[in-house]
Amino acid sequence: MEKKNTGFQEIEKMLQEVGNKIETLIQKGTKATGEASEEIEKKIKDLHINKEKLEKEFKEKKAKFEEKYQSKSSTAKPFLEDSMAHFKQGIKSLVHAINEMLK
């Protein structure tokens, strides 16, 4: 679960960096003049639209993943608990067998 959160956090961090770079371009674009200014403004608008699309898609994918994870973990939990009980019993039997051998 921790790796999942870390992965999402890394993607969110990258999106924030892209947003910061867009803001930097906006500041530089306001200093430009003439034809260059118009082209820069157009590119900035395109980048801003793409950034918004990426953020929306990211949120949708993250929500879908969370939902899928929750549904799978709730169905797998009883099996994991049973497996853990069997594993513990196996370890106890192994320890008991080793103790008997040592006697």
Side-chain angles (χ1 to χ4, degrees):
M1 180 85 177
E2 185 63 31
K3 287 189 176 188
K4 173 189 68 88
N5 286 337
T6 302
F8 283 128
Q9 289 171 350
E10 287 178 24
I11 293 170
E12 287 174 330
K13 184 179 175 183
M14 286 190 290
L15 288 173
Q16 288 174 347
E17 288 175 10
V18 168
N20 291 338
K21 288 180 182 181
I22 289 173
E23 293 301 320
T24 302
L25 285 174
I26 289 172
Q27 290 173 357
K28 289 181 181 180
T30 57
K31 296 176 185 175
T33 58
E35 197 173 305
S37 175
E38 292 173 16
E39 189 172 326
I40 290 171
E41 286 181 29
K42 183 180 181 287
K43 294 217 183 256
I44 289 171
K45 286 179 185 177
D46 290 344
L47 286 171
H48 199 33
I49 290 169
N50 288 336
K51 178 186 169 265
E52 289 173 352
K53 286 179 185 178
L54 283 173
E55 287 175 341
K56 181 181 176 186
E57 186 177 337
F58 173 73
K59 287 178 185 177
E60 290 171 356
K61 298 286 184 182
K62 183 178 177 182
K64 193 180 285 188
F65 177 82
E66 294 281 338
E67 181 182 321
K68 193 178 274 190
Y69 176 81
Q70 291 300 325
S71 70
K72 297 290 182 184
S73 69
S74 63
T75 57
K77 193 171 186 174
F79 296 112
L80 292 174
E81 290 172 358
D82 286 345
S83 295
M84 183 58 78
H86 292 298
F87 180 72
K88 287 179 182 178
Q89 185 61 40
I91 295 296
K92 286 179 185 178
S93 297
L94 184 61
V95 168
H96 179 67
I98 291 171
N99 285 336
E100 288 299 315
M101 281 178 36
L102 293 175
K103 288 183 183 179

